[in-house]
Amino acid sequence: MNINEVRSQFPILHQQVNGHDLVYLDSAATSQKPRVVIDTLDDYYKSYNSNVHRGVHTLGTKATDRYEEAREKVKKFINAKSLQEIIFTRGTTTALNTVALSYARANLKPGDEIVITPMEHHANLIPWQQAAKATGATLKYIPLQKDGSLSLDDVRQTVSVHTKIVSISHVSNVLGTINPIKEISKIAHDRGAVMVVDGAQSTPHMKIDVQDLDCDFFTFSAHKMCGPTGIGVLYGKKVLLENMEPAEFGGEMIDFVDLYESTWKELPWKFEAGTPIIAGAIGLGAAIDFLEDIGLDDISEHEHRLTSYALEQFKELDDAVVYGPKERAGLVTFNLKDVHPHDVATVLDAEGVAVRAGHHCAQPLMKWLNVSATARASFYLYNTEEDVDKLIAALHKTKEYFTNVF
């Protein structure tokens, strides 16, 4: 993987922020977009903007073909069995809510259990809180190890014969923890539960094989993997999706409508009510092509090297606290002693370094860490060791600034 060639394909990276070359270290929030994805979106709106599945004219046919070609690309990208298992959504949040609304509320009852972890993003926590309240089910948490990882023994002790749903992030957006989904899926299935996976932070960075993971539902967003905002994917095993009612109703998802009764289209369209996110899906297809041309294995290896290098550099930074396990995905979440993370991010921005600060939509995890907020530097395929060096240099300046001010 030629990093200079990769970087050359991202127009936004070649600018200055506050008089410094931009160092973008916030890809866990959203990744930057390569020129091919930008051009693909531009071409759709300029050349064949039309609705799909409705018209027989030339533009409508082309738009429909490109939209469904994107579904085929997603199927191959995550190794789903069938195109009917690929549902386009507005993103990971919508996909998880769809499972909580369409599957959980129809299948849970008092005495049943939903099992998650304290490391979950709010998108994989609040829908289960609401599902538990609506059905009388119990929400349970697998405890975390001291480093923020999961123990399979704890999983076995928490998931019981009363557990009906286990929903876990593949990769923590705060700790970088890579959870053993395949092993957890087996434990869940052995106890009669379905396995739901929040793949927002894993899909952009590693090869995903939903059949090998044997998860029942898998969700991810395009905007974290070089694609557009506002489009995501819900993968579900066909047998489960067929027995679920849609969460939204209206045009596009219907088969026949009478005054008092209606019937639904077959999968996957019964879950895609209204005009779908056409340009977004086509843009996601372009992003998948881009990532596969580079190679997910090469991307994973690059990020692993970069993260290992960053963790070594942080060891030389006095008064820095780094959170999460040693083996992790491509991010470093940290705090500087006696400096609020929002202040850290503000000073770093003055140096042209973009990081995230706050609770990262993971307030229960912040409570577990005994902090109100953290700063997070997250890496992707276009980042370099020089970016890490600039981050560390900017953090030294941050320390000096607040030492002198206070």
Side-chain angles (χ1 to χ4, degrees):
M1 181 173 123
N2 185 322
I3 188 63
N4 290 327
E5 183 178 328
V6 169
R7 287 179 60 83
S8 71
Q9 298 182 64
F10 290 84
I12 200 171
L13 297 180
H14 307 287
Q15 64 173 297
Q16 288 203 330
V17 172
N18 296 319
H20 300 272
D21 291 340
L22 171 63
V23 176
Y24 185 77
L25 300 177
D26 195 21
S27 292
T30 195
S31 69
Q32 296 303 339
K33 321 306 176 193
R35 186 173 288 104
V36 65
V37 171
I38 298 169
D39 290 346
T40 296
L41 295 172
D42 186 58
D43 183 51
Y44 166 75
Y45 284 117
K46 281 184 175 178
S47 302
Y48 59 101
N49 174 47
S50 181
N51 217 321
V52 296
H53 304 143
R54 298 179 184 181
V56 295
H57 55 75
T58 299
L59 298 188
T61 300
K62 184 174 182 179
T64 300
D65 288 346
R66 296 294 181 270
Y67 180 77
E68 293 302 334
E69 284 169 9
R71 198 188 307 274
E72 177 69 38
K73 291 177 183 179
V74 172
K75 170 185 170 291
K76 292 179 180 177
F77 188 66
I78 63 172
N79 193 33
K81 280 185 179 180
S82 167
L83 283 173
Q84 292 180 303
E85 297 177 323
I86 305 301
I87 313 297
F88 285 127
T89 71
R90 289 192 296 109
T92 304
T93 299
T94 301
L96 290 166
N97 273 276
T98 298
V99 180
L101 289 168
S102 292
Y103 180 83
R105 296 199 186 199
N107 288 280
L108 295 178
K109 63 183 184 304
D112 291 339
E113 298 170 349
I114 306 166
V115 172
I116 62 176
T117 80
M119 75 174 75
E120 302 308 319
H121 187 284
H122 294 163
N124 196 36
L125 192 156
I126 299 171
W128 305 119
Q129 288 179 343
Q130 298 304 308
K133 290 178 181 179
T135 61
T138 301
L139 186 60
K140 294 172 63 178
Y141 287 84
I142 303 167
L144 302 183
Q145 299 294 296
K146 289 183 179 180
D147 65 353
S149 62
L150 291 179
S151 159
L152 288 176
D153 285 340
D154 286 336
V155 177
R156 293 186 188 96
Q157 291 178 17
T158 308
V159 179
S160 76
V161 293
H162 302 291
T163 303
K164 301 304 178 186
I165 296 171
V166 178
S167 189
I168 295 177
S169 57
H170 198 172
V171 170
S172 166
N173 71 310
V174 175
L175 303 171
T177 306
I178 304 173
N179 289 315
I181 295 299
K182 184 175 181 178
E183 293 78 6
I184 298 173
S185 290
K186 185 177 187 311
I187 294 169
H189 292 153
D190 286 347
R191 287 156 175 77
V194 300
M195 184 73 202
V196 184
V197 181
D198 173 357
Q201 297 293 342
S202 63
T203 310
H205 307 284
M206 62 184 72
K207 281 187 176 179
I208 300 298
D209 185 334
V210 292
Q211 293 189 63
D212 182 61
L213 294 174
D214 197 23
C215 52
D216 299 288
F217 299 99
F218 189 94
T219 66
F220 63 95
S221 298
H223 73 96
K224 296 182 190 292
M225 52 182 286
C226 298
T229 56
I231 180 74
V233 171
L234 167 62
Y235 156 83
K237 287 182 178 177
K238 184 179 176 183
V239 64
L240 296 175
L241 292 173
E242 284 180 331
N243 290 312
M244 289 163 53
E245 284 293 296
E248 294 184 319
F249 305 90
E252 193 74 18
M253 51 77 66
I254 52 87
D255 180 27
F256 178 78
V257 177
D258 203 347
L259 289 176
Y260 298 102
E261 294 291 338
S262 300
T263 57
W264 321 135
K265 276 186 182 177
E266 63 181 356
L267 291 172
W269 302 293
K270 79 171 183 178
F271 287 103
E272 296 178 8
T275 295
I277 309 137
I278 304 166
I282 296 168
L284 170 57
I288 288 173
D289 289 342
F290 175 78
L291 293 176
E292 290 189 323
D293 284 346
I294 294 172
L296 269 296
D297 287 338
D298 287 345
I299 293 170
S300 295
E301 183 180 345
H302 171 73
E303 291 178 8
H304 179 76
R305 287 197 307 267
L306 200 59
T307 306
S308 297
Y309 178 75
L311 289 172
E312 286 300 313
Q313 300 309 302
F314 266 90
K315 289 180 181 178
E316 306 302 318
L317 192 64
D318 294 337
D319 297 330
V321 179
V322 174
Y323 306 98
K326 181 178 179 182
E327 293 299 319
R328 64 173 69 200
L331 61 85
V332 179
T333 295
F334 63 95
N335 271 325
L336 289 185
K337 185 179 179 181
D338 298 327
V339 185
H340 194 281
H342 287 160
D343 293 328
V344 171
T346 298
V347 177
L348 292 183
D349 182 62
E351 298 294 316
V353 180
V355 301
R356 180 62 44 132
H359 55 63
H360 314 291
C361 294
Q363 286 179 309
L365 182 57
M366 294 296 109
K367 184 177 181 180
W368 183 83
L369 291 171
N370 198 30
V371 297
S372 61
T374 61
R376 182 188 67 196
S378 51
F379 313 117
Y380 204 16
L381 71 166
Y382 37 67
N383 290 121
T384 65
E385 290 187 357
E386 183 182 3
D387 289 341
V388 175
D389 293 339
K390 289 180 179 179
L391 167 66
I392 299 299
L395 287 171
H396 279 296
K397 285 189 177 182
T398 305
K399 285 179 56 184
E400 291 172 8
Y401 174 79
F402 283 98
T403 298
N404 292 331
V405 169
F406 299 104

